[in-house]
Amino acid sequence: MRQKIYFFDLLRCVAAVAVVVIHVLGPYREQLGSIANTDWSIAIGFNSVSRWAVPVFIMITGALMLSDRRDFVLSYYLKRRLGKVLIPFLVWSVFYAWLSGASLSGFDGALAWETFTALPFHETYYHLGFFYYFIPLYAVIPFFSWVAGRADRTAMIALTSLWLGLFTLFFFDVEGPWDHELVLYSGYLLLGYCLLQYQWPSRPWLVVLGGMMLLLTGYNVIMVSLAAQDYTVGNWLSYKTINTALIAAMVFSVGRYYGERLQGRTQQTVAFISRYSLGIYLLHPLFLWPVRAFDLYWGSPLIMIPLWTLVCGGLALATSYLLAKYKVTAWLVP
């Protein structure tokens, strides 16, 4: 049995909340000019400071799986690792394909069927896009794990530094074979491993660099968009760029610092939410659907975004807990 790493619970919690925030604020993105600039800037500010969530989930996976020194058994890997994610993804994709046909004007079966048939190539609902670049990573994890078991600290840091360079090239639109999603997202596996095993890059540097990138990201997205009167993000909000990688690494490192110091009731609460973090990810759009359909954003985004994040995230947590209680449904929220 591997020793439990408690700070991962905190990281899963904050990442799950950040994902819900990103999806709650979605309608605000296209409202520049339709609402007050201040309200729009607040909403986009929430968006800009939450983009690290998806990379952190990948980094946790890399930190855990690349650190596993047990013998690789293909049948176990396919069933207990890949299958644990792939099967729920497929089932929920079918469900959300059906949901895509629902609207206030009725149910559009043709749209639902069209969405379903595109499943092999495109997500059936906006939040499921994550799995289209996460699941392929299971093809490279065994190789990276093999390398991590044989390489020393210097070699692993050098390899991770190479990927940080690729993130930088992508940010500046330098084209090359590194443009492929599988190549770039693989870097987060290595980054998570180095942060866990070597605490590299160090937390003080990450707080400085990540903090600067957080400010630069928000400033550039908001100010450039306001100047153009058009929502303009460039590469600032991409998951595959150096600014997002440094911010995600900062969150990982700071989360480790505080997560290792959690005790008692707080630690138990965080562990409970962490247990159902994937369920929260999968289920929260179900409860967000009526909020968007009925446009229930009646106040300032400073209030609406935290409110609906709490409500939709809380309902998703409760539903995940109920599904996990019964063997016949527990596999839906692994």
Side-chain angles (χ1 to χ4, degrees):
M1 296 292 291
R2 288 184 298 174
Q3 183 178 3
K4 181 177 175 60
I5 303 175
Y6 288 99
F7 77 87
F8 282 163
D9 287 339
L10 180 60
L11 288 175
R12 290 190 187 97
C13 285
V14 295
V17 171
V19 166
V20 180
V21 167
I22 291 171
H23 295 152
V24 166
L25 64 84
Y28 287 108
R29 296 189 185 111
E30 308 307 323
Q31 293 182 7
L32 178 58
S34 301
I35 60 176
N37 284 346
T38 301
D39 286 342
W40 184 86
S41 298
I42 290 171
I44 301 307
F46 274 107
N47 194 24
S48 299
V49 301
S50 303
R51 306 301 292 185
W52 48 265
V54 164
V56 163
F57 277 125
I58 299 174
M59 289 162 66
I60 293 172
T61 299
L64 283 171
M65 292 196 177
L66 271 58
S67 299
D68 192 344
R69 296 294 175 257
R70 292 175 292 183
D71 292 338
F72 178 79
V73 179
L74 181 60
S75 59
Y76 177 86
Y77 185 75
L78 294 177
K79 180 179 179 181
R80 298 298 301 274
R81 299 301 187 202
L82 176 59
K84 189 177 180 180
V85 176
L86 179 60
I87 295 175
F89 157 71
L90 292 174
V91 172
W92 285 111
S93 290
V94 173
F95 170 79
Y96 281 107
W98 172 84
L99 184 64
S100 70
S103 68
L104 296 181
S105 58
F107 183 78
D108 187 341
L111 175 60
W113 177 250
E114 180 183 352
T115 303
F116 170 74
T117 55
L119 193 159
F121 315 103
H122 192 274
E123 65 270 20
T124 60
Y125 220 62
Y126 55 86
H127 69 306
L128 296 175
F130 164 72
F131 293 93
Y132 285 79
Y133 44 81
F134 179 69
I135 290 175
L137 294 176
Y138 281 86
V140 300
I141 286 173
F143 171 72
F144 279 170
S145 182
W146 180 85
V147 171
R150 289 157 179 79
D152 60 13
R153 180 181 188 275
T154 301
M156 290 304 295
I157 289 176
L159 189 59
T160 305
S161 298
L162 171 64
W163 250 271
L164 291 175
L166 298 183
F167 284 133
T168 304
L169 292 175
F170 187 81
F171 178 83
F172 288 106
D173 290 320
V174 180
E175 297 182 355
W178 51 82
D179 287 356
H180 195 282
E181 286 190 343
L182 181 60
V183 174
L184 289 167
Y185 283 116
S186 295
Y188 284 117
L189 299 171
L190 296 169
L191 186 56
Y193 176 81
C194 284
L195 283 167
L196 175 65
Q197 295 294 334
Y198 313 128
Q199 297 193 47
W200 180 92
S202 65
R203 186 170 58 253
W205 276 107
L206 285 174
V207 169
V208 173
L209 294 174
M212 288 174 56
M213 289 300 172
L214 201 63
L215 293 173
L216 284 172
T217 297
Y219 177 83
N220 277 279
V221 171
I222 292 172
M223 298 308 294
V224 171
S225 297
L226 288 176
Q229 280 299 293
D230 183 53
Y231 184 44
T232 307
V233 301
N235 286 332
W236 286 101
L237 297 187
S238 170
Y239 295 138
K240 300 171 288 186
T241 49
I242 187 63
N243 62 312
T244 303
L246 289 174
I247 295 168
M250 177 186 69
V251 172
F252 190 104
S253 184
V254 172
R256 177 175 192 162
Y257 178 82
Y258 287 104
E260 290 177 341
R261 287 158 175 76
L262 295 177
Q263 296 180 351
R265 184 67 63 88
T266 302
Q267 186 183 73
Q268 294 172 10
T269 302
V270 168
F272 175 79
I273 298 173
S274 171
R275 162 66 181 81
Y276 303 105
S277 57
L278 183 56
I280 293 172
Y281 189 102
L282 289 167
L283 289 170
H284 75 272
L286 182 61
F287 303 102
L288 183 56
W289 182 87
V291 177
R292 288 188 168 193
F294 292 98
D295 192 24
L296 301 180
Y297 297 91
W298 61 78
S300 166
L302 196 59
I303 298 173
M304 292 293 97
I305 293 174
L307 171 64
W308 291 126
T309 298
L310 178 63
V311 171
C312 297
L315 289 172
L317 172 62
T319 305
S320 298
Y321 169 74
L322 292 174
L323 289 173
K325 286 184 65 175
Y326 305 99
K327 187 176 181 179
V328 70
T329 55
W331 59 275
L332 288 170
V333 286

